[in-house]
Amino acid sequence: MAERGAPMEAEILDRVQESPSLFTLRLRLTDASLQSAYSFDPGQFNMLYLHGVGEIAISIVSDPREADTIDHTIRAVGRVSKGFAALKTGDRVGLRGPFGRGWPLQAAEQHDVVIITGGLGCAPVVSVINYVSQRRERYARLNILQGVKHSADFIWRERYDRWRALPDTRVLLAADAGDALWPWHIGHATDLFGQLDFDPMNTVVMMCGPEGMMHRAVQHMRKAGVPAADIWLSMERNMQCGTGHCGHCQYGGMFVCKDGPVFPYDRLQSLFGRTGF
Amino acid sequence: MENVADCFLARPDLQQLFDALLARDYDVWGPVARDGSIVFESVESVDMLPVGLIDQQDPGAYRLQETGNERVFDWTNGPQALKPMVFRPEVTLWEVARDAAGGLRFREPARPAQKRAVVGVRACDLAALYIHDRHFLQGESPEPDYRAQRQRLFLVAVNCTRAGNQCFCASTGDGPQARYGYDLALTELEQGFLVHAHSDAGRELLSALPTRAATAAEVSDAEKSVRVAAEQQRALPSRDLRDALLERLDHPRWKETAERCLGCGNCTAVCPTCFCNQEMDQPSLDGGHSEHVRQWDSCFSPDHGYIHGLRLREDTAGQYRQWLTHKLATWHDQYGRSGCVGCGRCITWCPVGIDLVEEVQALLREDAHG
Amino acid sequence: MTTRAINIQVPTLSRVEGEGALDLDIAGGQITGVRLRIYEPPRFFEKLLEGRDYGELPDLEARICGICPVAYQLTAVQAVEAAFCVDIPAPVQALRRLMYFGEWIQSHALHMHMLAAPDFLGCTTIFELQAQQPAAVARGMRLQDFGNRLMRWLGGRSVHPVGVCAGGFHGRLQVEDLPSLCADAEQAWQDSAALVSWVCGFNLPERQQRFQQVALRPEQGYPITGGQMISSDGLSIEADAFEAHFEEQQVPYSNALQARLHGEPYLVGPLARVNLNLDRIPEEVLEPLLATSIRFPSANPYHSIVARALEIRLAVYEARILLAADWETQSYCAPVTPRSGAGYAATEAPRGMLWHGYRFSETGSVESARIVPPTSQNQARMEADLASGLTEFGLDREEHELRMEAERIIRNYDPCISCATHFLDLRIRRRPSAAF
Amino acid sequence: MVGRPRIAVHKFSSCDGCQLAFLNLGSELLALSELVEVVHFAEAGACDESAQVDLAFVEGSISTRRDEARIREIRKCSNFLVTLGACATSGGIQALRNHADADDWKQAVYAKPETIDSLAMSTGIAEHVRVDLELWGCPVSGAQVLAAIRQLLFGVLPRSNREKVCADCKRSGQVCVLVTGGAPCLGPVTRTGCGALCPQFGRACYGCYGPADSANTPAMAQRLLGLGLSAAEAERQFCRIHSHSPDNERAALILRSDA
Ligand SMILES: Cc1cc2nc3c(=O)[nH]c(=O)nc-3n(C[C@H](O)[C@H](O)[C@H](O)COP(=O)(O)OP(=O)(O)OC[C@H]3O[C@@H](n4cnc5c(N)ncnc54)[C@H](O)[C@@H]3O)c2cc1C
Ligand code: SF4
Ligand code: SF4
Ligand code: SF4
């Protein structure tokens, strides 16, 4: 990649409110040649810039085949992301990227795939599921396990219904607490691990979510016999630059922005689960 | 030990070094005594150098003392290495203007191009510069401002002939003699300087100086004083402390030290290899224009390990452990060596005098091992 | 003539520094009571200074007033130096004058443009004035900024500067800033001439009042950092004799003490200074005034604003000279050794004379402190001016007119209520004379 | 905030210095007045204290019964409330009386103390009403205030800054006055904002921006003793502009029991 430079200008083509705090921005670089040169792997991210306010790291959720738009699903949590939430179609933002290393989607071909997410809907994984479901024939059994705190946090129900209808695909949903209309499991997502259908020696696990949740899921997968190198996690750390210079995203000896954000568990093992890193 | 130098420059001719650099359009920087310490500033004349001054360094204390002699490089170091010149404390990375229709025009600022010579650089400073080169330049996306600043430099190193009280560069393998990364190196002797060129630009400059070949006695004198400086130093227990420290993440010492640590980040600011930085916008009042600025940051800042709703290192013990284990342990994973070049700055410039060498010793002491 | 008892409350007097209120009793067509109520909460400064080290005084005392912190700092350090018998070298004295003049320029320019000028130009805020007279406002802000720059140069910031200490200044003088300061001073010199002419063109009411005036008078030059205390009635004393002649009284309706000289109200501030030190103002400074009909000494309180404009010009005049001196990148500070005893100092704050008196212990710790700020000295005079000024204005005017005139009279003194101890809340009670 | 937000500047017990952060802005003040509508700012001539505003700035501490009632009314009519300066955030210098007997003090300064309405304590605004943003500093600087307003105009919160003065001190290339001269510098426990002014003047920081986030004031207190200050001298370092802030009170308490 070239020298780190200033952001490129992008236009918001569309804005979809997914839930009260979650929204998707469909962007296109205003310079057509930059847009056509832009390519990425699922799991990579961009630094999105809000004029005068700042930059934040946001995963790319569109399919790499969609060459003329770049989608981001953003949760409005703090100062910059809430600022993004106020933008409308036609507004301009800055974009630098793509950065980092994405999901092992090629390596996972012909393998069983287990996708585990937790917390409040996890955009990076949704892009993986979309990717796999678009190319369903290349992968063996597909398992999707998602846990939410409360059934009301569950979004994209129709997508899950669509995925459930895919061949050889299992969708397991759990809510720690749920209302009467929640047809699925009430309790921890970990309770459902037993229902996953995969061959431990021929599986690629991909997960994303709160580290505590990922920690439990990793333990389970390891116990089930999945090699550490086949369990992939998407990590989140404070990020200022995205290019491995600012030092904020260090996790032990790794820079999450350039060595990750997606890591095989064997690289994280020595520190994973420990606070302070 | 490789030849310390080949030429001899008499003390009264030192000005000619400055003149030769000025004549080649260098902005010449060198050591000056200011505010009770030695700092690098623009220097045109040898009169501005810290003649007859040495530094007495203790944990949390720095004092300049007069020796009464004529030597100009007997001080060992001040709070700054080359870091502020290449990895600048604050710099505009890019600017953006928003037009009336909301369009954003991004622009990178012009970077300075004038050549800059720095006289008085130490071996540890060069080692640290090399580490920063790896960090800022040799990855996938080189950093433009660092590159611009770096390319300007002409470095005149000085081999240390006196060890500072907090120096331990011999134990990290980075000094006291400059081995790489410089253009000219000086070793100060009673009557003058041995000069050694290490680059084409250095050789060209050397040819313009009124030197003569150094005598064998001068060379051995120089070698000896550098060797003595090395022998006088303190030492870290090992060059590779990676595993030893990572095995001790639950050592009680972390918490004990945190009681004294002010979390002020001075250690990271003076450390010549610390590279953390933060980015922020500085918009104009009308909001039409904004500068995106990069500033030195520190892993001791509460916002360093912040991800929404969570401070990864919520207490000083966690911050101190992050600092020390990064510097001395996980740095090996990143750059194949420790991040410490043995300059001792973090010890001297810590307002409460927390001593890195002593901390490592305490962590390694088996009896205290939790 | 009013025959009903009316009680009007006007909650806010704006464009003054601090919080206060005014009660006015009008009975039988005459003013029977004027009470300037200052209810800005007291901050007990004199008390909180006790037990503090002399070295802390500049930082603590600056907080008495954000508008004139330099006045407090420089008065305090001079009282310290008087107590410890420290000789202050001439260059330090010159730099102090320069910094103090910076504060005059800042404070006067702020008062004239933001607080007072709207009164004479038919608007209520600087923003309205900006719409009417953008060039005058820009000029005023340039001047204010020049004053701020002088203070920043010597003190790092203009509000609660950090550069002043007993003996002189902290740090080394930044001589590299001099060329641009000198350039700004030249611009300010031009601006100050235009300022004087501008102010003289205001429709200032004609008033003639008799009042006692007090100002400092140094051996030479215009008063600012010290001098003898003199009055229009012939008083001439040193700062240490202040307490023998001036007394402070508490009035039940106010949180600020009122000072009197020999039992009488008196005026301090720009008008008193110009009136008593006219011979000390250089001709070049007076020049723009000569083209107008206004002359000093003046008994018209409304000429205070002209006096302020003149003082800005004078301050710029001196600043040009002071900046042109031979300054070096070095420390300007005399050594100070504490000793026990008393120390007094009086200086000319922008609003008038400021007096400090302390007793120190052997180690230089404050045993007692007394501070008399200009606004509490002017309080009684303001009440007297209100009584005669409003009567001259016409007491049977509409209440809102009376209120505005009263506010204008008060504002003319540029009272700094934070110093004295902000918003004037004016109550007029009118009663038929029969009620008495 | 869309359109031109309405702003108010209120004053309580203070030196007026923080309001000067506006009045000393020069041409930027005029530029600001195009961006916002100044509804209440008595010192600048706009008076409508009870008007509903988008953004209220409050200077000064609460130190009288009247103040207590006033600040509650102001909170009711302000969407977003920002405190300006030491007085409004921690009670300011006048909070030194919180440690003394306030009645005693009144008696010493005023002959008829019974007519003075003054509470025993001088306290910051957040002790009375909800505060949305605190700008520390004695005084706050114009740059600080403008930066906050600009971000609020963009519709976002200002960036948090939890660094210590030392961070700015080193970035600006100052030489540490504590390490080279043993000066009792409070930089390591004081929040940034001033740009490390005092060290630039070769003197120790006296803490006018208040204790930083996670200020280890007890360790600082020990260090001051180590530099040769007496316990009483060290205590005074913490009892100055922000004596009423918990971190300073903690250090002062330790030192008092030392003395
Ligand atoms: C590789 C990567 C991919 C991400 N992808 C997405 C995504 O697709 N959708 C999404 O909603 N969020 C994503 N995040 C998280 C997102 O970056 C944060 O939610 C965002 O930075 C919060 O910024 P804020 O200013 O709104 O929050 P504040 O809490 O106000 O945070 C202040 C500042 O801290 C930093 N910061 C805070 N939280 C994070 C964080 N979690 N990660 C990195 N920096 C942080 C930022 O610099 C931020 O501006 C991703 C994070 C990473 C590291
Ligand atoms: S860790 Fe300390 S001794 Fe090592 S290079 Fe950094 S400052 Fe110098
Ligand atoms: S001078 Fe003060 S603020 Fe600066 S580094 Fe030293 S301790 Fe910190
Ligand atoms: S250095 Fe400290 S005391 Fe000085 S201005 Fe800054 S915060 Fe205030």
Side-chain angles (χ1 to χ4, degrees), chain A residues 51-244:
Chain A
H51 176 73
V53 176
E55 285 185 307
I56 51 174
I58 301 292
S59 307
I60 310 163
V61 294
S62 38
D63 193 293
R65 277 197 296 224
E66 296 161 24
D68 60 334
T69 58
I70 312 167
D71 295 359
H72 298 89
T73 300
I74 306 175
R75 182 169 299 280
V77 293
R79 73 176 275 276
V80 186
S81 53
K82 283 183 182 161
F84 270 105
L87 298 181
K88 324 173 289 299
T89 305
D91 286 346
R92 306 294 169 94
V93 299
L95 184 154
R96 288 192 296 126
F99 297 119
R101 317 222 180 281
W103 299 104
L105 287 166
Q106 250 130 49
E109 287 183 13
Q110 315 309 329
H111 290 61
D112 291 342
V113 171
V114 176
I115 294 172
I116 303 176
T117 73
L120 301 161
C122 195
V125 182
V126 171
S127 67
V128 173
I129 305 175
N130 279 333
Y131 185 94
V132 172
S133 58
Q134 296 291 317
R135 301 157 182 82
R136 186 68 197 84
E137 67 292 352
R138 297 192 201 164
Y139 300 89
R141 284 167 287 189
L142 172 62
N143 293 269
I144 301 169
L145 172 63
Q146 157 127 35
V148 289
K149 271 216 172 62
H150 191 276
S151 56
D153 297 335
F154 184 68
I155 57 164
W156 291 332
R157 185 175 278 223
E158 53 318 339
R159 293 194 197 184
Y160 284 84
D161 290 341
R162 251 187 288 129
W163 295 331
R164 198 185 302 278
L166 291 171
D168 226 358
T169 301
R170 206 168 274 245
V171 175
L172 302 169
L173 300 172
D176 291 352
D179 53 36
L181 293 172
W182 179 253
W184 299 291
H185 182 70
I186 301 238
H188 277 297
T190 35
D191 304 342
L192 303 178
F193 279 150
Q195 296 177 35
L196 293 170
D197 177 22
F198 62 96
D199 170 2
M201 295 311 293
N202 186 37
T203 295
V204 171
V205 182
M206 296 181 244
M207 57 176 88
C208 157
E211 277 172 40
M213 182 284 297
M214 292 203 287
H215 191 64
R216 287 189 297 277
V218 168
Q219 300 309 318
H220 183 87
M221 290 293 141
R222 295 289 289 134
K223 225 181 279 159
V226 184
D230 292 339
I231 305 173
W232 296 75
L233 292 75
S234 178
M235 296 288 287
E236 225 172 279
R237 283 295 174 269
N238 188 304
M239 255 170 223
Q240 306 283 302
C241 66
T243 52

